Each structure stands twice: as structure tokens, then as C-alpha cells.
Amino acid sequence: VWLNASSATTSVTLNGLTASSNYEYQIQTECSSGNTSAFSSNSTFSTLAPPCITPSALSSSSVTDNSVTLNWANNAGAVSYSIQYRVIGTASWMSTTSAVNTKNLLGLSPVSNYEFQVQADCGAGNTSAYSSSSNFTTLSPPCNMPTGLSSSSITDNSVVLNWTSVAGAASYNLQYRIVGSASWNTVACASNTKSLSALTASSNYEFQVQTVCTYGNTSSFTPSSSFTTAAPPCSMPSGLSSASVTYNSASINWTSVAEATSYNVRYRIVGAATWVTTTS
């Protein structure tokens, strides 16, 4: 079936044609007398492919420390898409493709600000321009909580605290207190062990540890681990002397010990096998 058009001149503009199609056309002269010529022989032309629309509505989702899902509006004429992305400020782009309007990227650098652009491929070499950039920032990698908390070398006023080293840790935060105290004492630790001093003797302590990771993010503090400081050393009496000696009694004396609550005394006749004990 032929479509018909007319023109008062030797030119006519045809609209509403089908893209990517081969057309033929013929011309017939219509004279002033009302009679017409035969139609000319065929001439042909081919309409172009429709313009390939640049993708729009770029967005990102499911961002982690090393991956992201890129999204954009579906282009009805596209058969595939080309994606280019890079850390903002770097010289070169990395490229990938997708058959649909989404793409999951892996192997990204943590805590980095990226930009990406998308180009539509409408087939037969017909591609759009790349879109404007859309940005996303990758997260810090997870910062793991320390494990294996323990204490050693406990004295009346000191202790060595230990825990398992965490991969990716830059340092650790340690907090400790006497159980039941309102506030914590907090110290920074460069490694997975810490010696504490100036503790209170005969006291039940608890401590917790937090990882500070390379990118500045931190873990939660661990559950508490506990230890009990030893009693202070009990000094031996000195300055022993005797007075008021009679045939059956004597007053025994010694220098007072500051931390003493009482004393145990033992005595015997020199050379006897057993001691007699008493208290004071």
C-alpha cells in the first residue's frame, strides 16, 4: 500500500515516518489541463535510527565498605548499558557493562568518594552520551570487638590485662573500675596488653575493651571481665624485747605494724620441741 502526498513545488517534507526503515517513492506530474503523467521510477531513502536517550535518575543503594548497587531509569530503546566509575579526583575511569538498568560493583576501596556515569547502547553502533555523574561514598570496614579477655600478674595494686589482637586494629580503648563504682577509668592502648598500677588492694575490678580500627571507626565495648587484687603485704614485726621478767612471767614487746589488726605470738623454752601460741 502506497501513502500519498502532494506538492505545489518540486519539494515536499514527509513526517511521521518509521525509524530505521528503507523507503521508496515515485513522483507524478499533474498538469494545468487536469491530465496527469505516469508515476516516475522508484527512488529510495532510509530513515535514521531513533536517537539513543542518555540515561537519567542515577542512584546508588546497598553501599558497603567494598560494594554498591548502581541504578538508573530504564531506557526503552537500549539493548545494554556501559558504566564508568572512579574515585573522585583520580585520572582514569574503570568500565563495565550491564544488560539491565542496574549493576552491582565489587572490590571498591573503603571510605572513598566515588562517581559514576551511564551510557545507553541502542544497537547498530547507536549510543547515547554518558550521563552526568552521580556520587556515592563507601563505608568503613567492620571493626570487630576484641575477645579472649584475661588478667595476669595480679598483686595488691597492679595487674596485667590481655586480649586477643583484632585484625585491622589501630589501637584499643580500655575502661576499668571497682565493681559497683559509678564511673570508669579509661586508657588508650597501642597493643593487646596493658599493665595497670595504683589499684586498690583486696578489691574486685571489672574491665572492658573496645577496638579502634584503621579508618577511625570503633567496635562496641566487650562484656566485662573481672579480677580481684591481692591483699596488701603484711609486714613482719621488729624491735622484739622483753621486760618485767619474773620466775614465771614476762612482758613481751615489739614495734607496732601500721596495717596490723592483731598479732600471733609463739614462745618456748629454747630447745623444746613445740611452741606455745597466744594472740594479742
Side-chain angles (χ1 to χ4, degrees):
V1 178
W2 291 88
L3 303 173
N4 296 308
S6 61
S7 176
T9 66
T10 57
S11 176
V12 68
T13 298
L14 304 179
N15 295 309
L17 303 181
T18 301
S20 303
S21 299
N22 293 323
Y23 278 85
E24 59 181 343
Y25 67 99
Q26 300 173 343
I27 308 296
Q28 178 189 58
T29 305
E30 184 174 324
C31 293
S32 56
S33 59
N35 55 330
T36 57
S37 72
F39 275 97
S40 68
S41 58
N42 290 356
S43 187
T44 61
F45 63 90
S46 296
T47 51
L48 304 178
C52 198
I53 298 171
T54 301
S56 61
L58 277 64
S59 65
S60 53
S61 60
S62 303
V63 182
T64 72
D65 62 308
N66 62 3
S67 66
V68 67
T69 299
L70 306 180
N71 311 283
W72 54 91
N74 188 45
N75 186 336
V79 294
S80 66
Y81 300 91
S82 296
I83 304 101
Q84 60 182 18
Y85 62 98
R86 65 181 176 183
V87 174
I88 293 176
T90 56
S92 58
W93 294 87
M94 291 170 281
S95 300
T96 186
T97 60
S98 177
V100 294
N101 61 318
T102 186
K103 183 67 178 182
N104 188 35
L105 300 181
L106 302 173
L108 304 179
S109 299
V111 197
S112 297
N113 192 19
Y114 279 84
E115 63 178 329
F116 74 99
Q117 301 175 344
V118 184
Q119 177 189 60
D121 185 344
C122 295
N126 183 22
T127 58
S128 74
Y130 272 99
S131 67
S132 299
S133 288
S134 181
N135 300 346
F136 64 90
T137 301
T138 49
L139 305 179
S140 300
C143 194
N144 294 321
M145 189 168 61
T147 59
L149 276 65
S150 65
S151 53
S152 60
S153 304
I154 300 171
T155 72
D156 63 308
N157 63 4
S158 65
V159 68
V160 177
L161 303 179
N162 310 281
W163 54 92
T164 303
S165 181
V166 176
S171 62
Y172 303 90
N173 291 325
L174 166 68
Q175 60 182 18
Y176 65 98
R177 65 181 177 183
I178 293 175
V179 174
S181 297
S183 59
W184 294 90
N185 300 299
T186 304
V187 292
C189 309
S191 66
N192 62 318
T193 186
K194 183 66 176 179
S195 296
L196 300 180
S197 59
L199 303 179
T200 302
S202 303
S203 299
N204 188 21
Y205 279 84
E206 63 179 331
F207 71 98
Q208 302 174 343
V209 185
Q210 176 189 59
T211 308
V212 180
C213 286
T214 305
Y215 291 97
N217 53 325
T218 59
S219 73
S220 300
F221 274 99
T222 63
S224 288
S225 183
S226 61
F227 63 91
T228 301
T229 51
C234 199
S235 301
M236 188 170 62
S238 61
L240 278 65
S241 65
S242 58
S244 303
V245 180
T246 71
Y247 72 98
N248 67 353
S249 67
S251 176
I252 304 301
N253 307 285
W254 54 92
T255 303
S256 178
V257 175
E259 65 268 23
T261 57
S262 65
Y263 302 90
N264 295 322
V265 182
R266 67 182 184 179
Y267 62 97
R268 66 183 176 184
I269 293 174
V270 175
T274 58
W275 294 89
V276 179
T277 60
T278 186
T279 61
S280 175

